[in-house]
């Protein structure tokens, strides 16, 4: 007698599995709940299954996994611990297929393969035989009027499932489609089989087995490994008994759950930029990166199953997964690696976790990993090392580069530079609260769309930045008629002291002036990480209003990038201007400070 394999096709479950293990049938014991799969609503168990099977067939999926069945060896039969809903539904489905004339010559391989300790008479009478009579009834009340002895809830659900599946098959586009769909289900739809020894307590097993849950890729892998690892021991001198096998499976399950709990933790997923992943698939793909080259509906499970089939022990596969988790945990808990890697993952560049993993996975020490991360960080910061200066970058064309520059300025305060204390930088808040690069004093149409007044402080900066005479203004417009309006606004700005109210037409003139003049407003020194849209929400007194908003956020315990706070509190700018004013001098000093800090950062990155 051969041992049961791990995976069988649906047809193979009723034929080859029983032949391989010298069994006659599957026993559905009395302690199990009855058949409870629903069939009426669009999201009901049976309708969803039929749609999933048909979609898989239409997409020519190589395999469709119909989860697990858990069995117990009873000698000449298998007791079904978990899987009776699936086996009963498959029995109904194949019985209906064989009720079509097209399948009259096919072997009806499901007959007498399920043995129910309850409902036996109904299955024998109306599923294995006379299924056309059940179909013809079509109505439960009508069926009961002729078969009152079958008036119970389990039979009701089986009746509804039979009608539902039959209607689905009748609605297929052609008889040829019906035939091809049948062959697909027979050969391409598979189940994973888990067999326990006859000494195990059936009811305890039943209580502890998952029921009725549609398994995902990682669930399938978990089941495969937990099933196969104890079997690896059968090839060694000492063979485990069933109690030891069960204990091993419990331990493996607990270790897997530890991996899953960590990998699905919100903070971990967000840090590793895996926000869209709700399970541990992302970690498994790091452990087995070649899986990304496969084209399969369940590529990860397919890849791991093939690895095992080709001779890689399940224990080795599990160890690789666990090792990957340990490496990631180590990175996550190391200040320096956490901050460097976090910058790469949350800055705006082409690096991905999987690409970085490829660069780092073969490195054995934290020193070598940190060195490689420093190299990757250097590559995305716009700094000219030869001249020890920031590269020439334009706000409109290089927003990503500028964002990266200001993000690393902030992250640098958490790195071991010049002996400063290391901390874990808060990358989540940068992403979640939509901090982005904006001008400290606005200079484009979007940022100035609500302007209706210039404050004393706004006027002071504009007087510094704009030409005082119309002859010195650059406009880049063809309409000479606009020049008087420009001249008029310039005069108002120069003559106003406390405030200047401006109307809509004047706001457009101001936008034109600022876009072609006031070159300092285009400098990096006039930029900072601000909440997205802050400028466009204001109508005047830009610097002071934003400064107050930032101070208020900090006083309420909210997140503000430390560099942003330092700019608006003028802690890093040794200018002679008031705390409430943003000046041309402030812009230039801010740019000098940025250059100085990035120069220091590169000394650290090169160390």
């Amino acid at each position: 007698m051969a041992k049961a394999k791990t995976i069988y096709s649906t047809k193979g479950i009723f034929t080859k599995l029983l032949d391989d293990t010298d069994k006659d049938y599957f026993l559905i014991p009395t302690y199990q709940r009855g058949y409870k799969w629903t069939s009426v609503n669009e999201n009901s168990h049976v309708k969803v299954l039929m749609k999933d099977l048909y979609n898989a067939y239409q997409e020519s999926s190589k395999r469709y996994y119909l989860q697990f069945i858990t069995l117990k060896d009873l000698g000449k039969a298998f007791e079904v611990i978990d899987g009776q809903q699936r086996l009963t539904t498959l029995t109904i489905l194949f019985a209906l297929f064989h009720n079509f004339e097209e399948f009259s010559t096919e072997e009806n391989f499901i007959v007498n393969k399920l043995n129910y300790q309850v409902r036996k008479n109904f299955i024998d009478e109306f599923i294995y035989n006379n299924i056309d009579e059940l179909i013809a009834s079509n109505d439960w009340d009508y069926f009961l009027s002729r078969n009152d002895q079958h008036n119970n809830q389990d039979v009701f659900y089986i009746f509804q499932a039979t009608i539902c599946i039959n209607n689905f098959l009748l609605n297929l586009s052609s008889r040829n489609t019906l035939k091809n769909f049948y062959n697909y289900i027979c050969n391409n739809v598979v189940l994973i089989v888990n067999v326990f020894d006859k000494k195990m307590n059936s009811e305890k097993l039943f209580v502890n087995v998952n029921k009725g849950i549609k398994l995902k890729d990682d669930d399938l892998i978990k089941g495969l490994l937990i099933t196969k690892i104890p079997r690896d021991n059968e090839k060694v001198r000492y063979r485990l008994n069933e109690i030891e096998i069960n204990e091993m499976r419990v331990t493996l399950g607990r270790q897997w759950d530890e991996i899953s709990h960590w990998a699905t933790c919100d903070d971990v997923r967000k840090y590793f930029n895996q926000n869209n992943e709700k399970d541990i698939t992302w970690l498994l793909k790091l452990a087995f990166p070649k899986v990304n080259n496969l084209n399969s509906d369940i590529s990860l499970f397919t890849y791991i199953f093939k690895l095992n089939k080709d001779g890689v022990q399940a224990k080795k596969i599990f160890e690789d997964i666990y090792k990957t988790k340990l490496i990631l945990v180590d990175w996550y808990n190391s200040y320096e690696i956490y901050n460097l890697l976090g910058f790469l993952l949350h800055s705006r560049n082409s690096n991905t976790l999987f690409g970085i993993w490829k660069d780092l996975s073969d490195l054995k020490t934290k020193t070598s990993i940190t060195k490689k991360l420093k190299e990757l960080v250097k590559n995305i910061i716009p700094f000219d090392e030869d001249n020890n200066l920031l590269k020439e970058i334009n706000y409109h064309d290089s927003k990503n580069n500028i964002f990266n520059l200001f993000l690393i300025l902030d992250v640098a305060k958490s790195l071991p530079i010049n002996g400063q204390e290391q901390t874990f930088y808060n990358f989540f808040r940068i992403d979640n609260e939509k901090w982005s690069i904006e001008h400290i004093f606005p200079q484009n149409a979007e940022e100035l769309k609500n302007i209706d007044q210039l404050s004393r402080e706004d006027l002071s900066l504009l007087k510094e930045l704009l030409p005082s005479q119309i002859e010195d203004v650059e406009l880049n417009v063809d309409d000479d008629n606009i020049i008087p309006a420009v001249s008029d606004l310039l005069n108002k700005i120069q003559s106003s002291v406390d405030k200047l109210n401006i109307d809509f037409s004047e706001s457009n003139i101001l936008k034109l002036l600022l876009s072609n003049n006031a070159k300092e407003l285009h400098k990096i020194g006039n930029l900072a990480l601000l909440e997205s849209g802050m400028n466009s929400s204001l109508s005047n007194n830009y610097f002071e209003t934003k400064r107050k908003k930032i101070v208020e956020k900090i006083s309420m315990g909210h997140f503000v990038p430390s560099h942003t706070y330092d700019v608006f509190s003028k802690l890093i700018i040794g200018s002679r201007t008031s705390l409430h004013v943003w000046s041309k001098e402030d812009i230039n000093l801010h740019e000098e400070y940025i250059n100085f800090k990035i120069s220091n950062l590169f000394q650290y990155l090169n160390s």
Side-chain angles (χ1 to χ4, degrees), residues 264-281:
T264 58
C265 172
D266 280 348
D267 286 351
V268 171
R269 286 190 301 105
K270 289 175 183 176
Y271 169 75
F272 285 106
N273 220 352
Q274 302 299 311
N275 296 345
N276 296 326
E277 297 287 351
K278 303 303 181 186
D279 54 37
I280 68 169
T281 301

Side-chain angles (χ1 to χ4, degrees), residues 32 37-38 56 63 144 147 155 167 205-206 251 261 282 323 348 373 441 486 496 500 522 539 564:
Q32 289 208 16
W37 272 18
T38 57
R63 275 183 172 174
L144 284 185
N147 301 278
V155 172
N167 289 337
L205 285 174
F206 176 74
T251 300
H261 177 75
W282 67 274
K323 177 184 174 183
R348 296 172 184 173
L373 288 172
F441 190 93
V486 174
S496 298
L500 172 63
H522 300 267
S539 60
T564 299

Side-chain angles (χ1 to χ4, degrees), residues 30 38 40 116 231 243 245 250 380 447 450 474 490 555 576 584 592:
T30 55
T38 57
V40 177
Y116 295 82
R231 294 184 182 179
I243 293 176
I245 287 174
V250 169
I380 60 175
E447 294 174 335
N450 289 322
E474 295 180 20
L490 272 176
S555 67
R576 297 177 295 275
K584 178 178 178 179
E592 288 178 15

Side-chain angles (χ1 to χ4, degrees), residues 125-283:
E125 186 176 353
F126 289 106
I127 300 299
Y128 293 149
N129 303 286
N130 305 316
I131 198 169
D132 52 345
E133 182 179 336
L134 187 154
I135 296 166
S137 301
N138 201 42
D139 177 79
W140 175 244
D141 291 334
Y142 178 78
F143 176 79
L144 284 185
S145 69
R146 296 182 168 219
N147 301 278
D148 185 63
Q149 73 275 21
H150 294 305
N151 186 9
N152 67 72
Q153 191 180 65
D154 296 350
V155 172
F156 168 76
Y157 281 114
I158 293 174
F159 175 89
Q160 294 278 43
T162 305
I163 299 301
C164 173
I165 296 171
N166 188 63
N167 289 337
F168 187 94
L169 297 178
L170 288 173
N171 286 327
L172 294 182
S173 58
S174 68
R175 299 296 91 181
N176 188 51
T177 300
L178 181 70
K179 184 76 173 178
N180 291 336
F181 187 38
Y182 168 82
N183 289 330
Y184 180 82
I185 293 174
C186 282
N187 301 311
N188 297 81
V189 178
V190 299
L191 295 103
I192 301 175
V193 178
N194 190 11
V195 179
F196 285 94
D197 186 82
K198 64 181 71 176
K199 296 178 183 178
M200 302 300 292
N201 183 286
S202 300
E203 295 190 33
K204 285 185 178 180
L205 285 174
F206 176 74
V207 168
N208 289 288
V209 170
N210 293 321
K211 299 177 285 297
I213 300 172
K214 185 174 181 179
L215 300 181
K216 298 173 291 185
D217 218 17
D218 57 322
D219 294 317
L220 293 170
I221 294 167
K222 174 184 177 181
L224 175 68
L225 297 180
I226 290 175
T227 299
K228 297 283 281 184
I229 288 174
R231 294 184 182 179
D232 288 343
N233 286 276
E234 295 177 359
K235 299 176 183 178
V236 300
R237 197 169 194 180
Y238 172 72
R239 294 186 60 183
L240 301 176
N241 59 42
E242 283 298 322
I243 293 176
E244 290 171 321
I245 287 174
N246 198 39
E247 289 175 350
M248 179 180 286
R249 285 174 173 161
V250 169
T251 300
L252 291 168
R254 185 171 61 249
Q255 291 175 334
W256 184 277
D257 290 343
E258 289 173 2
I259 297 171
S260 179
H261 177 75
W262 184 83
T264 58
C265 172
D266 280 348
D267 286 351
V268 171
R269 286 190 301 105
K270 289 175 183 176
Y271 169 75
F272 285 106
N273 220 352
Q274 302 299 311
N275 296 345
N276 296 326
E277 297 287 351
K278 303 303 181 186
D279 54 37
I280 68 169
T281 301
W282 67 274
L283 187 148

Side-chain angles (χ1 to χ4, degrees), residues 72-89:
K72 177 182 172 182
D73 191 338
L74 291 183
K76 294 302 290 181
F78 278 128
E79 180 182 344
V80 178
I81 304 297
D82 179 48
Q84 72 128 326
Q85 309 288 326
R86 292 181 285 283
L87 290 176
T88 300
T89 305

Side-chain angles (χ1 to χ4, degrees), residues 341 344-345 351-360 373 376:
L341 176 60
L344 292 169
L345 293 173
N351 286 305
T352 66
L353 176 60
F354 300 100
I356 296 169
W357 176 263
K358 184 178 179 181
D359 288 332
L360 302 183
L373 288 172
L376 295 174

